[in-house]
Amino acid sequence: MKISTRFSDSIHILAFINIYQGIIPLTSSNIASSIETSPVVVRRLMSALNKAGLINTVHGAADPVLAKSPESISLYDVFLAIEGDAHLFTIDERTNPQCIVGGNIQETLNGFYQQAEIAAKAKLARISLQDVIDTIRVKQAIKDAEKERRN
Amino acid sequence: MKISTRFSDSIHILAFINIYQGIIPLTSSNIASSIETSPVVVRRLMSALNKAGLINTVHGAADPVLAKSPESISLYDVFLAIEGDAHLFTIDERTNPQCIVGGNIQETLNGFYQQAEIAAKAKLARISLQDVIDTIRVKQAIKDAEKERRN
DNA sequence: GTGATTGTAATTTATGTAGTTACATGATGT
DNA sequence: ACATCATGTAACTACATAAATTACAATCAC
């Protein structure tokens, strides 16, 4: 199973808050326009990010703020906030316990899958929201330069 | 989205073929009993494993055999055979290109996600079917010893 | 040749996720 | 105070993905 777009959308929200704060009102509606989804989806995710301590929102008021600096928010922090202890790989819940394979495969795969998951999560833990924002700005700068060049 | 149980089921099939070959007939039906799924699901997966060159099956005949030694079949080989180039993380297909974030987030996340995916796949590449089989046998031996002790 | 088995398509069922509607709660501005 | 706007959340619908089932042609084994 893949990880849902909730994870990507959440990173999007955090980057949006940082980049557009003070420039346009940070409402669920404005953020939703950037993601091209509905404001309710954004509010649900913002609510989770708030509970996880990544942003500070106020019930009834717009303009959420990042609760920590972008350097100190890792993609793994976001993953934890949104996906919790969800697994990247799925294991059958019922296999035949009478069979040598069926009776031991679940525990076995669980151990090996954890190795792979931890490797992936360790990578995510070393990528910060600031890295994401920096990359976005660089890519935008390249586009702007391209546009300028054509004039 | 998570990776479906197809991946786990495929590893199950390969381990089953190795452990039960010569002991019971390796039919899709017998294998399905161990996984507790339907024979058709098993046949579909075996068909894919055959095409990927991991096992050799014969149309109409039972008893497939591993095409390579268990040491030389990695979990990543199985992943590739079954999931192809499926991604562990999902990125929105449409975000607002007018927005600095929306216009650059897809490419940006794609790069970072690849780092995490490669880390996970590298781990899978270093785990062999033999490792899985060994672990299954050890776990079974522990169970058997436990049972013996209680007699 | 008969019976068992694989290979595969088509259909149904189940599940998870996104999207929508609705509304209560709280903030803002005049 | 009041009207307006925003968040927080529940309930429901729509949709996509995957598993399970049904059906059957092609192939093998005895």
Side-chain angles (χ1 to χ4, degrees), chain A residues 99-102 105, chain B residues 9-28 30-32 34-35 42-43 45-47 49-50 54-58 61-68 70 73 129 132-133 136-137:
Chain A
C99 168
I100 296 175
V101 180
I105 190 85
Chain B
D9 289 349
S10 299
I11 300 169
H12 191 139
I13 290 170
L14 295 172
F16 193 95
I17 290 174
N18 178 270
I19 289 179
Y20 281 103
Q21 98 189 122
I23 299 178
I24 62 172
L26 300 177
T27 63
S28 63
N30 279 339
I31 300 175
S34 174
I35 305 179
V42 174
R43 292 206 288 271
L45 294 174
M46 288 206 300
S47 176
L49 294 171
N50 182 50
L54 299 183
I55 63 177
N56 294 128
T57 62
V58 178
D63 296 302
V65 294
L66 298 184
K68 306 196 283 183
I73 296 177
L129 177 59
V132 174
I133 293 166
I136 289 173
R137 288 204 185 278

Side-chain angles (χ1 to χ4, degrees), chain A residues 44-119:
Chain A
R44 270 202 289 251
L45 294 174
M46 287 206 302
S47 176
L49 294 172
N50 182 50
K51 280 170 184 160
L54 299 184
I55 63 177
N56 294 128
T57 61
V58 178
H59 190 172
D63 295 303
V65 294
L66 297 183
K68 306 194 284 183
S69 73
E71 289 88 359
S72 61
I73 297 178
S74 77
L75 296 196
Y76 181 57
D77 292 332
V78 182
F79 186 91
L80 266 184
I82 300 300
E83 300 288 344
D85 58 357
H87 290 293
L88 268 43
F89 302 99
T90 310
I91 298 179
D92 298 82
E93 289 177 4
R94 275 190 283 283
T95 51
N96 189 342
Q98 305 299 321
C99 168
I100 296 175
V101 180
N104 298 288
I105 190 85
Q106 296 177 28
E107 267 189 62
T108 299
L109 288 184
N110 189 49
F112 290 130
Y113 284 172
Q114 270 190 27
Q115 292 182 27
E117 286 198 10
I118 287 173

Side-chain angles (χ1 to χ4, degrees), chain A residues 1-3 8-9 90 92, chain B residues 1-3 8-9 90 92:
Chain A
M1 117 221 163
K2 278 176 200 153
I3 293 298
S8 294
D9 289 348
T90 310
D92 298 82
Chain B
M1 134 228 158
K2 281 177 197 155
I3 291 299
S8 294
D9 289 349
T90 309
D92 298 82

